[in-house]
Structures are given as C-alpha cells and as structure tokens.
Amino acid sequence: MNPQLPVHTTLADRVTIAPVSPNDFEELATLRIAAMRESLERVGRFDPERARERLRKSFSPEHSQIIVLDGARIGFCTFRPSDDAYHLDHFYVHPDAQSQGVGSFVLRMLLKQSDPLRLPVLLGALRDSASNRFYPRHGFVQTGEDEWDIYYSRSPSIPILPADVVQQQLDAYNAHDLEALVATYAEDARLFEHPNTLLASGKAEIRERFRQRLAEPNLHAKLLHRIVMGAFVIDHELVARTFPEGDGTVQLVATYEVRDGWILNARFLSGEKQLDA
C-alpha cells in the first residue's frame, strides 16, 4: 500500500469514496483489523476474530463508504443517520495511508452532510487510541467513557452570518439536496412571490414546493451579484430551468431575511423566461 503524494496534487484530486455492498465485508474487516491492531495490542485486546465479529454485528452497507486514495481502497466509514443525530459507527484508515490528512479530509466531507441538517455527530473511540487526539481537533468533546471506550459528540457548525446561511441554501439547491435545502429555513418560514403573494408557509409546504422544483434535471442557479445589509441578503441569479416549452433560463432576484441562523422570509422576483435556441 503506502501511497505517496504526487507533485502538485491535492487530496481533493486523490481521495474518492465508493459505495459498499454486503460482499465487501471481508475486505472491510481486514482494513478494520489493520487500523486497530496497534491500539488493541497496547491494551492487550488484539483478537482478529473478535474484531471481525464486532464489525459483523454493526455492519451497515447502506450507510458505509469505502475510502479510495490514488485508486487504492485504504479505509472505510459508516455514517448512520437517526432522528436526532448522525452516528459515526466506524472510521478506519489503513496505517500505511495515515498521517497524510486523509482522515481529516473525509471527516470534513461527512460533516458537510450533518451540519446543514443541524444534527450532532456521536461516536466512540477505543481508549489509548490516537483517535482520542484526532477527534477533539475537529470539534468533538468528550461526553462519557467506560472500561474500553471514550465517547464524543460534536455539535453542528451553524452559520452565523446571514450570507453564510443563504450560500448554504444556494449550494443545496444546486446539489438538488432537498433536506439540506429545507434545513436552512426556520420552522415558520414563508416564501413569497414579490412583493407579498404567499407561495408556501412552514417547512412542510416549503419542502413540497422545492421537491417539485428540484425534479427539474437541469436546474441550476448561477449567482451574479449579492448584496448584504444586516439580516437581509439580496441575490441576483441566472437560473437554468426546464419549462413546459423546453429548457431555458430566467433571471431571479431573491431577497432573504435571516434571523438566528435561519431563513425566515424569502421573496422572489422573476424576469422573463428565455428559451434555449
């Protein structure tokens, strides 16, 4: 293994994640054993078969991803959502690929899923493991411990500046990520067609409205200009859409009122649609 860093490349160029299938279990178990061996030997608990069986009991292919570095499968993670938190059940990188920033890079990718939904991340780490130095560097705080493990929680990183909230909303819109988009709105938020025609009130109506809009395959908003004044953010956008007549674009002015890290009101003023030639 032991990938070396090519000249003039970044981790974004080198690291990808791939879905997991049930047939990947043995490979993931081998990666887990290799990653944990040193820490388990230190506390006198290294037992490959026990490590394999513990993984089998918590194996969740639908919530797991293989970490690929320069084409080599060097680790995996299990990031499982529940109603009130995300659970980082497994996160392992092969020793030959450690100390290159891969773990930090992948963890930041995972937190981009949980932060927009305003959900904490919970995990447990083996005592005397280097992970007990790794996780606090990324905002995790200890919440408990037992004979073998230390438990951590990380609160979501909620944008404070109104422009940050609006940008988060725009990023989710362009990624067609419905839940991340709706998560930027307050529970009692309202959408208006400029100036005061109510389009949706409350998250349930907002979710349904955006669900229909995000179904358009070519939907994408290009930010042309942004004005920020206190709690108000005004975006001028060029939006690619699928109209009944065909694909095209429309200019849009969106005015957002942001309070306490949430979009409270949004007003949209649309220009004339322009169909593609």
Side-chain angles (χ1 to χ4, degrees):
M1 200 167 285
N2 195 26
Q4 298 298 314
L5 181 65
V7 179
H8 304 310
T9 62
T10 66
L11 284 175
D13 300 317
R14 304 175 64 209
V15 176
T16 56
I17 53 178
V20 166
S21 77
N23 295 332
D24 293 317
F25 174 81
E26 286 300 328
E27 180 181 5
L28 301 190
T30 300
L31 283 168
R32 181 177 191 265
I33 292 168
M36 296 188 66
R37 179 167 188 158
E38 181 180 349
S39 297
L40 289 170
E41 287 180 338
R42 190 180 303 122
V43 297
R45 283 178 58 84
F46 180 65
D47 182 337
E49 194 54 40
R50 180 169 57 191
R52 179 175 281 102
E53 285 309 307
R54 288 194 65 178
L55 176 61
R56 192 182 304 278
K57 291 178 181 179
S58 59
F59 186 45
S60 177
E62 66 273 23
H63 298 130
S64 300
Q65 296 171 309
I66 294 173
I67 303 169
V68 181
L69 175 65
D70 298 334
R73 293 152 70 106
I74 54 89
F76 76 97
C77 57
T78 300
F79 201 50
R80 176 176 53 85
S82 64
D83 290 340
D84 55 0
Y86 268 81
H87 302 266
L88 187 54
D89 293 333
H90 300 288
F91 189 23
Y92 306 109
V93 175
H94 193 281
D96 289 346
Q98 292 177 8
S99 301
Q100 297 189 46
V102 175
S104 294
F105 179 81
V106 174
L107 182 58
R108 288 194 294 268
M109 292 175 63
L110 299 177
L111 295 177
K112 287 182 179 179
Q113 299 177 40
S114 57
D115 280 354
L117 299 179
R118 314 292 171 93
L119 292 177
V121 177
L122 310 178
L123 60 88
L126 182 69
R127 282 185 178 278
D128 297 321
S129 165
S131 57
N132 291 291
R133 297 188 297 274
F134 171 78
Y135 289 117
R137 294 202 303 267
H138 292 275
F140 287 83
V141 297
Q142 183 176 338
T143 58
E145 58 184 297
D146 59 24
E147 184 179 4
W148 301 111
D149 296 307
I150 298 176
Y151 300 97
Y152 294 92
S153 175
R154 178 189 179 277
S155 298
S157 177
I158 301 175
I160 298 175
L161 296 177
D164 292 339
V165 179
V166 172
Q167 184 61 46
Q168 192 176 81
Q169 183 259 177
L170 180 62
D171 291 342
Y173 184 90
N174 285 335
H176 292 214
D177 188 334
L178 177 62
E179 293 307 317
L181 174 58
V182 174
T184 62
Y185 285 84
E187 290 294 335
D188 55 349
R190 296 178 298 173
L191 307 182
F192 297 91
E193 180 182 344
H194 182 83
N196 290 311
T197 301
L198 185 63
L199 301 174
S201 179
K203 276 195 171 183
E205 292 185 11
I206 290 173
R207 178 179 286 103
E208 186 55 35
R209 182 172 180 84
F210 279 127
R211 186 192 308 278
Q212 297 175 27
R213 183 60 52 83
L214 295 182
E216 298 179 17
N218 68 330
L219 185 72
H220 187 275
K222 179 181 179 181
L223 181 63
L224 302 177
H225 187 62
R226 173 172 289 163
I227 298 173
V228 181
M229 188 174 69
F232 293 88
V233 180
I234 303 173
D235 279 1
H236 179 200
E237 303 169 358
L238 181 65
V239 184
R241 290 197 54 195
T242 302
F243 300 110
E245 305 90 339
D247 292 348
T249 58
V250 61
Q251 291 196 52
L252 178 76
V253 175
T255 302
Y256 302 95
E257 180 184 358
V258 182
R259 303 287 180 182
D260 300 321
W262 312 89
I263 298 173
L264 183 60
N265 292 300
R267 285 176 165 80
F268 305 106
L269 175 62
S270 299
E272 293 186 6
K273 66 181 72 172
Q274 301 291 325
L275 296 179
D276 294 344

